[in-house]
Amino acid sequence: MDVRLTLLCHAATRSMREGGFPAPDESVDEGGERKVAALDLPNAGVILCSPARAARQTMEMAGLSGAEDAALRDIDHGDWSGRSFAAIHASDPDGLTAWIADPTRAAPGGERFGDLVARMTPWLDNVGAGTEATLAISHPMVMRAAIAAAIGLSAEAALRIDCAPLTRIDLYYNRLWRLQAIRPL
């Protein structure tokens, strides 16, 4: 039996527009709020979202109700959470330069992308074992990690996927995961 999974990137936040590492309590900005109205989402029997404020707000603005799922939380940016790239560059230019050169590395005190892929693997197994279509509202890094885990994409290739705000990724499972579409808003 086919199981459909739709991953939706939450609406835009200030750090997405200005360049930076979001904090879990960061809100959707006005531009992001306006664009939620344009969403065309498939019906889903299960609706899940990251515990981050922007994901919960996106779900609510879309008129949806669902459960928070800790597995969908954003990659942990450690000491850089809630800080702009400019502020980090001013205080730790070598650290930011090293991370830009190899974004599979963890930010200081944070989570590596490979750890995020490992977190998404059992989550995908659980969704694939279900019987209902699932809509999951999360973050760009989580969506990239889910694709990497689902179809065996390398971390380097997955990090080249653009997941802009409100991008929708459609996967389906029938004995193995398949990527159907990446749909920017």
Side-chain angles (χ1 to χ4, degrees):
M1 181 169 159
D2 291 350
V3 174
R4 185 172 39 87
L5 169 61
T6 300
L7 297 165
L8 177 69
C9 184
H10 64 74
T13 64
R14 184 182 54 82
S15 67
M16 291 172 114
R17 292 191 195 278
E18 295 177 3
F21 297 95
D25 62 348
E26 186 174 17
S27 299
V28 168
D29 68 13
E30 287 181 31
E33 189 172 342
R34 283 191 303 273
K35 289 185 177 184
V36 171
L39 286 176
D40 179 27
L41 297 172
N43 292 327
V46 177
I47 299 173
L48 303 169
C49 77
S50 159
R53 185 175 187 185
R56 289 190 322 270
Q57 286 179 319
T58 301
M59 180 176 66
E60 292 163 2
M61 289 173 194
L64 302 171
S65 176
E68 289 183 13
D69 187 329
L72 294 171
R73 71 189 181 281
D74 201 1
I75 192 168
D76 181 356
H77 298 293
D79 299 343
W80 291 351
S81 290
R83 298 181 61 203
S84 70
F85 294 149
I88 295 165
H89 186 265
S91 65
D92 186 7
D94 293 337
L96 185 61
T97 299
W99 181 84
I100 289 170
D102 181 10
T104 62
R105 297 169 40 134
E111 182 178 20
R112 290 180 319 111
F113 185 73
D115 297 332
L116 179 56
V117 173
R119 178 179 5 129
M120 294 312 300
T121 300
W123 185 84
L124 285 166
D125 291 343
N126 187 51
V127 171
T131 59
E132 295 187 274
T134 299
L135 169 65
I137 302 167
S138 194
H139 311 273
M141 292 297 273
V142 173
M143 294 172 68
R144 291 177 185 112
I147 291 172
I151 65 172
L153 201 60
S154 72
E156 292 78 15
L159 287 167
R160 293 183 190 144
I161 297 171
D162 186 19
C163 292
L166 301 177
T167 293
R168 176 178 142 187
I169 296 173
D170 296 318
L171 298 162
Y172 76 95
Y173 182 83
N174 185 338
R175 296 185 311 276
L176 55 94
W177 284 104
R178 291 175 174 82
L179 174 63
Q180 277 190 314
I182 300 176
R183 306 168 200 260
L185 178 64

